Amino acid sequence: MIAVNPMDSDAVLATFGALGVLAVIFAESGLLVFGFFLPGDTLLFPAGVLCAATAGQAPRLVLWQVLLCAAVGAVAGGQVGFLLGRHGGRALLARTSRRRVRETAARAEKLLARYGYGKALVIGRFIPMVRTVLHPAAGALGVPTRTFTVWQIVGGLLWSQSLVMAGYALGATVPDADAFLLPLVALIVVLSLLPLIPVLTEARRDRRDR
């Protein structure tokens, strides 16, 4: 039996390839507490890099397979998360002992309230941890199923495909791109947190006014 740490992107990609992308992105997009700590950006971007051929080295993953698995994982995971939220998600969030999960769920709700359903579901896909609780939160808050489905598909495809293609573009144009993965992934994570700044500022202002 193969034991692989699902939080180790390199191990997941080396062991399972594109199918590992599908499984991890599915869990990270909708399985709430379990998916909360799984890699998303830090899996898709390196997967794209591994799809590119470099000097003297053939691609280690197949681009169309990674794109397809990333899309299926993101869309299916988001829909499952929504259904879980619709059927008892609020109670599950209330019972969890993880303070970080509860705080992120509150931010997801503020994101939905601040930007509206469509924009929040697209923006939220690009924010680590928020995207995991956003879909169950949408289900618990009674977001209309059709509205949720349309916008989570748009957000899921934009997020998953753009990160894979960004990694592929880097791997195809920069020699030894593997050496730059860690700082580039860190930069992507920092940039993805920027949409949260207005939400965090508003929450801090609310606490100060109480």
Side-chain angles (χ1 to χ4, degrees):
M1 184 174 179
I2 300 174
V4 176
N5 181 0
M7 291 183 285
D8 185 341
S9 299
D10 292 338
V12 169
L13 293 173
T15 306
F16 300 110
L19 289 178
V21 172
L22 191 157
V24 170
I25 296 305
F26 173 86
E28 200 236 11
S29 294
L31 295 190
L32 200 55
V33 178
F34 175 72
F36 191 74
F37 300 100
L38 292 177
D41 304 329
T42 54
L43 180 70
L44 293 174
F45 191 81
V49 172
L50 295 178
C51 292
T54 57
Q57 188 172 35
R60 282 160 281 181
L61 295 175
V62 180
L63 181 61
W64 73 264
Q65 293 177 353
V66 172
L67 288 170
L68 178 61
C69 286
V72 171
V75 171
Q79 207 66 29
V80 168
F82 176 77
L83 293 174
L84 290 174
R86 181 59 60 87
H87 301 285
R90 185 172 288 279
L92 179 61
L93 286 171
R95 285 199 306 268
T96 182
S97 59
R98 297 182 182 274
R99 181 172 60 87
R100 221 168 144 195
V101 174
R102 293 197 304 271
E103 290 177 349
T104 307
R107 289 170 188 163
E109 291 187 20
K110 286 183 179 292
L111 200 68
L112 287 164
R114 181 182 182 88
Y115 292 108
Y117 297 151
K119 190 181 292 187
L121 288 167
V122 173
I123 293 174
R125 277 287 189 172
F126 290 84
I127 305 175
M129 295 183 290
V130 168
R131 64 176 156 262
T132 304
V133 298
L134 181 63
H135 306 130
L141 291 170
V143 176
T145 301
R146 183 176 179 180
T147 300
F148 173 83
T149 301
V150 168
W151 288 108
Q152 80 93 357
I153 289 175
V154 171
L157 293 178
L158 283 174
W159 169 64
S160 63
Q161 308 302 282
S162 64
L163 279 175
V164 171
M165 290 307 300
Y168 177 77
L170 177 73
T173 56
V174 178
D176 300 319
D178 294 21
F180 303 99
L181 277 180
L182 283 178
L184 282 170
V185 167
L187 177 61
I188 289 173
V189 171
V190 170
L191 291 175
S192 67
L193 291 173
L194 292 180
L196 268 184
I197 292 178
V199 176
L200 294 174
T201 303
E202 184 177 328
R204 192 176 298 113
R205 188 184 304 117
D206 290 344
R207 285 197 300 268
R208 191 171 57 244
D209 293 341
R210 286 173 187 171

